[in-house]
Amino acid sequence: MLAQSFAPPPRATPIARADNLLQRIGVRMAFAKDEEIYGQGEAANLIYLVASGAVRTSHFMVDGRRPIDHFYYPGDIFGLEVGDEHTLAAEALSDCLLLVATRSALVAEGGERALQTMLRDTMVRDLQNTREHLMLLVCKTARQRVSGFLLGLAERSPDPVIELAMGRQDMADYLGLTIETVSRMITDLQNNHLVEFQSCRQFVVRDRKALAGIAAC
Amino acid sequence: MLAQSFAPPPRATPIARADNLLQRIGVRMAFAKDEEIYGQGEAANLIYLVASGAVRTSHFMVDGRRPIDHFYYPGDIFGLEVGDEHTLAAEALSDCLLLVATRSALVAEGGERALQTMLRDTMVRDLQNTREHLMLLVCKTARQRVSGFLLGLAERSPDPVIELAMGRQDMADYLGLTIETVSRMITDLQNNHLVEFQSCRQFVVRDRKALAGIAAC
DNA sequence: CGATTTGTTGAGGAATATCAAACTTGGTGG
DNA sequence: CCACCAAGTTTGATATTCCTCAACAAATCG
């Protein structure tokens, strides 16, 4: 069963990912839900590939808030930093299985060039993600943010029934909203028959067009 | 007089910038206020160094809004994209003078290596900027955003009297606020004697500590 | 099954946007 | 130098959105 998780990721990303290497030489590591994978300020030696489950990266702030930078799903690579320190913390969103390798192992196996390429691709993707995230926050209402978020999940899911990897609090932290507002928007979208939640972690898109219409910036 | 503009930038950035090369081989180009330097979707062949004046990069959106991604000041390099197309537009914030070079010219003069380094450093800086900007938008109030913005300018200015390179609308677009709100916050900060505006484009920080206290996330 | 966490709903309030008007500033020409 | 004009900025009144606090419901876990 677990072996299946190591198969190519179910979603396509525009950027070529040199993750075959990681697939080959990575060491399996399991993390329990909410377990810390690495902390803010820790040395950044390892490279991670999500095999199963999901991961969030976030900033911890003095006032207790914890804005989420990004969610990583199976097939995604994370943990590569430009400096030698992690600027964000990473935690398991759910129980998850990661493939882990050290930078030196990657160099030993694939050469300096492979590492550079991987680093570059990861950084490019991070920049794109962050810019997209920024746009979402600058110029969207709560309804637009939630719609866009759900639509994004739907687009990368092969299955019509979509599993939410995260709870309302994580969504709220990512979208820059409170859990109450997220909840209200979801209820609202349901009342208008744009989406339908089977349970609070499972939903189906009912009217993709209308949803996209709302989400558009 | 102009020659002075080509001197090292007045502000320090944490990232080493391979801009000597650009200083040497760059071609001077002047742009008038609000002139487009490049547009969204255009081919990204050129690398720009701000010699004097300032530049904004922004997304143009269907509804007429134009969230600003970043402001570039003398000494800053911009225009390097990871793909071969500009994802943002760049415009002159004020009359400005740029040093411009093609990628191929940089390779010819400094080698592939130099270009790679420059590209990497620029991307790293962009990523940091974007993350910072993101944090500003996720978790700050209008007062905090404006305070942080003014403080940021103050920190990189050698002069106690700080020139605002942009008008209220540009500030608002960058901070994710309306011009009215920006204006009100500035008035408010003045009433509390944290800053003092000589004119609407010139200010002095009166109580740096208090300003930093407000700006802190 | 009870206990605990997580999610939903409601009422009220705070922050920011919107719309409209007045005021400043900077430039231009008399 | 001053009057005038246009653009940019500030201020005020009102509307809207989202947050806060509180109660309740549902799901999860031992």
Side-chain angles (χ1 to χ4, degrees), chain B residues 13-31:
Chain B
T13 57
I15 315 163
R17 284 193 316 257
D19 55 3
N20 300 334
L21 191 55
L22 246 174
Q23 300 258 10
R24 277 218 322 282
I25 69 168
V27 173
R28 288 176 192 75
M29 284 185 75
F31 288 87

Side-chain angles (χ1 to χ4, degrees), chain B residues 168 180 183-184 187:
Chain B
R168 298 289 184 270
E180 292 96 329
S183 180
R184 277 183 244 274
T187 302

Side-chain angles (χ1 to χ4, degrees), chain A residues 4-214:
Chain A
Q4 204 164 27
S5 305
F6 295 85
R11 69 195 193 79
T13 57
I15 315 164
R17 285 193 316 258
D19 55 3
N20 300 333
L21 191 55
L22 245 174
Q23 299 258 11
R24 277 219 322 281
I25 69 169
V27 173
R28 288 177 192 73
M29 285 184 74
F31 287 87
K33 180 170 148 64
D34 290 324
E35 196 176 344
E36 182 178 279
I37 297 164
Y38 54 76
Q40 234 164 304
E42 282 183 14
N45 300 316
L46 303 173
I47 293 135
Y48 304 83
L49 170 70
V50 181
S52 72
V55 171
R56 67 168 169 257
T57 50
S58 49
H59 271 277
F60 282 91
M61 314 199 66
V62 275
D63 62 356
R65 279 179 306 178
R66 182 210 50 176
I68 286 171
D69 186 78
H70 201 67
F71 296 115
Y72 294 93
Y73 301 102
D76 290 337
I77 289 174
F78 69 98
L80 273 175
E81 299 276 341
V82 288
D84 47 350
E85 245 186 34
H86 287 296
T87 54
L88 301 165
E91 295 158 310
L93 209 47
S94 56
D95 290 349
C96 65
L97 201 54
L98 308 178
L99 287 176
V100 189
T102 60
R103 283 172 182 244
S104 47
L106 281 171
V107 173
E109 189 70 15
E112 184 67 31
R113 184 93 196 130
L115 178 65
Q116 289 306 323
T117 303
M118 195 182 279
L119 208 149
R120 202 190 96 103
D121 287 353
T122 307
M123 190 153 56
V124 168
R125 195 213 42 200
D126 279 353
L127 186 57
Q128 287 179 342
N129 286 337
T130 308
R131 282 216 183 125
E132 236 170 77
H133 194 177
L134 190 78
M135 284 302 125
L136 183 141
L137 293 167
V138 194
C139 58
K140 293 202 182 182
T141 65
R143 174 170 289 96
Q144 289 178 313
R145 294 183 204 187
V146 173
S147 303
F149 185 78
L150 296 179
L151 199 63
L153 290 178
E155 271 166 11
R156 67 182 54 160
S157 166
D159 200 319
V161 179
I162 297 138
E163 289 282 337
L164 268 179
M166 73 295 294
R168 298 291 184 268
Q169 185 63 62
D170 283 316
M171 282 181 63
D173 287 341
Y174 180 77
L175 297 174
L177 300 169
T178 59
I179 57 171
E180 292 97 328
T181 301
V182 170
S183 182
R184 276 183 247 273
M185 292 305 133
I186 287 177
T187 302
D188 194 67
L189 292 174
Q190 281 196 96
N191 291 342
N192 294 326
H193 310 292
L194 301 188
V195 299
E196 189 180 309
F197 274 70
Q198 261 96 45
S199 78
C200 62
R201 291 289 191 113
Q202 265 193 341
F203 72 98
V204 174
V205 176
R206 282 281 168 239
D207 188 342
R208 186 197 206 79
K209 209 145 202 172
L211 199 61
I214 291 175

Side-chain angles (χ1 to χ4, degrees), chain B residues 137-154:
Chain B
L137 294 167
V138 194
C139 58
K140 293 200 181 184
T141 64
R143 176 169 288 97
Q144 289 178 312
R145 295 182 203 188
V146 173
S147 303
F149 185 77
L150 297 179
L151 198 63
L153 289 178

